Amino acid sequence: VDTDSGTLIPEVSGLLQYRLTEDVFGKFISFKCIPIRDDGIVDEPRTCMGQERVQPGSPRLLSLQIVETTVEGSTLTTSFDGNQTEVKDAATTSYILSVDDIGFFVSVSCEPVRSDWARGPIVLSEQIGPIIPGPPTRQSLKILGSFVEGQRLSFIASYSGGEKGDCFYEWFRLESNGIKDKLLNADEFLDLRLEDVGRCLELVYTPVCKDGVKGSAMCVLSTAVSPEEPMGVELVIPDCCEDQIVVPQKTYFGGQ
C-alpha cells in the first residue's frame, strides 16, 4: 500500500502466474525475480511494480445449481458463488414447491451484483423435474370458533400432496376419566351442546389425496367448553281449565 515494503504472498512464491483475489483490491502488486544461473551464480534481484491499484473484476457467477429433491413440499435451495437470487418471485435462495409446480420443470436464474452495485451477466441453471406430488401431508390444523355452549365450531387445515381427495375428520369429546366419545352428529361443523360443557374436544384430521393414498393423522385439542349465560328460551302458559293446577311450560339454556 503506497510506500510500504509490501507483504509476501508465500503460496505463489516460485510461480510465474498469480490469480488476483478480492483481498488485494485497492492495493499495488509487485513481482520480484532473483536471476540464478545453472552454475549457481546469483545476480541482483529485480522488482517490477504495477502502475495502478488492483481493481475488482466484473461480477460473474462461477456456478449455479438447484439442490434437494423434486417433490412437492420440498424446499429448493440454490448453491452458487455470488449474491442471492430470485426464484418464482421470491427474493431468497430457497423456494418451496407447490401443487402448481407438479408436472413442470424448475430452473433458477441469478444476476451477480457486486457491493458497489456493478452487475454481471445473468446465469440460468439447468432444469430439474418434472416435479412429482409429495405424500399427503397436513401443514397446519386449527379449530375456529368460541368454546362456549351453543356456539358452532369449524376448522381450517392446510394440505399438500398432489390433488386433494376426501379427507377424514373426526370430533371427540374427552371425559374426565380419559375416555373419548366420538361425536357422530359432527361434520365439518360442530354445534356445542350442554353435554360438551366442562369438557375438552379433540379434532382428528387425516389427509387423503385424490388417488386414495392416506397421510399421517393430525389432532388438535380445544380448551374446556364454557356454559353460556343462563337465559329463558321459552315460557308458555298452557290452556287453563277450572279446578286444574296450571304449570307453565318453560325452556332453560345456559349450562346446568
Side-chain angles (χ1 to χ4, degrees), residues 180-199:
K180 295 198 299 184
D181 293 332
K182 184 176 180 179
L183 305 179
L184 301 178
N185 62 329
D187 198 3
E188 293 186 12
F189 301 96
L190 174 65
D191 293 322
L192 297 177
R193 302 182 175 185
L194 174 62
E195 295 82 359
D196 302 317
V197 173
R199 296 171 175 81

Side-chain angles (χ1 to χ4, degrees), residues 106-126:
V106 175
S107 63
V108 58
S109 64
C110 180
E111 181 183 24
V113 181
R114 204 168 56 202
S115 59
D116 59 0
W117 299 107
R119 299 176 180 273
I122 295 177
V123 177
L124 184 67
S125 73
E126 293 185 358

Side-chain angles (χ1 to χ4, degrees), residues 177-255:
N177 56 6
I179 297 177
K180 295 198 299 184
D181 293 332
K182 184 176 180 179
L183 305 179
L184 301 178
N185 62 329
D187 198 3
E188 293 186 12
F189 301 96
L190 174 65
D191 293 322
L192 297 177
R193 302 182 175 185
L194 174 62
E195 295 82 359
D196 302 317
V197 173
R199 296 171 175 81
C200 296
L201 301 173
E202 180 183 44
L203 172 64
V204 179
Y205 178 86
T206 304
V208 181
C209 65
K210 189 176 181 180
D211 58 8
V213 177
K214 297 180 181 179
S216 300
M218 181 181 188
C219 65
V220 60
L221 291 175
S222 75
T223 56
V225 177
S226 302
E228 183 57 277
E229 294 296 325
M231 59 177 157
V233 178
E234 183 183 29
L235 182 61
V236 178
I237 298 176
D239 295 337
C240 300
C241 297
E242 184 182 4
D243 292 333
Q244 289 188 356
I245 297 177
V246 178
V247 179
Q249 298 174 357
K250 56 187 181 295
T251 304
Y252 172 90
F253 180 78

Side-chain angles (χ1 to χ4, degrees), residues 113-188:
V113 181
R114 204 168 56 202
S115 59
D116 59 0
W117 299 107
R119 299 176 180 273
I122 295 177
V123 177
L124 184 67
S125 73
E126 293 185 358
Q127 293 181 339
I128 62 170
I131 306 302
I132 61 175
T137 307
R138 72 282 174 267
Q139 302 294 338
S140 63
L141 180 63
K142 182 179 181 181
I143 298 178
L144 303 177
S146 300
F147 302 111
V148 179
E149 177 189 9
Q151 298 295 314
R152 168 170 284 191
L153 301 180
S154 61
F155 66 89
I156 181 172
S158 61
Y159 172 89
S160 67
E163 189 172 353
K164 184 179 179 181
D166 295 328
C167 301
F168 299 119
Y169 37 85
E170 300 173 297
W171 296 87
F172 295 89
R173 182 190 302 123
L174 304 182
E175 302 292 344
S176 57
N177 56 6
I179 297 177
K180 295 198 299 184
D181 293 332
K182 184 176 180 179
L183 305 179
L184 301 178
N185 62 329
D187 198 3
E188 293 186 12

Side-chain angles (χ1 to χ4, degrees), residues 66-114:
I66 297 179
V67 296
E68 301 301 336
T69 58
T70 57
V71 180
E72 176 199 6
S74 300
T75 300
L76 297 182
T77 58
T78 54
S79 174
F80 58 89
D81 297 326
N83 262 30
Q84 289 187 336
T85 184
E86 286 190 1
V87 182
K88 291 279 188 177
D89 298 326
T92 63
T93 56
S94 65
Y95 169 66
I96 298 179
L97 294 171
S98 69
V99 64
D100 297 330
D101 301 316
I102 295 176
F104 293 92
F105 290 80
V106 175
S107 63
V108 58
S109 64
C110 180
E111 181 183 24
V113 181
R114 204 168 56 202

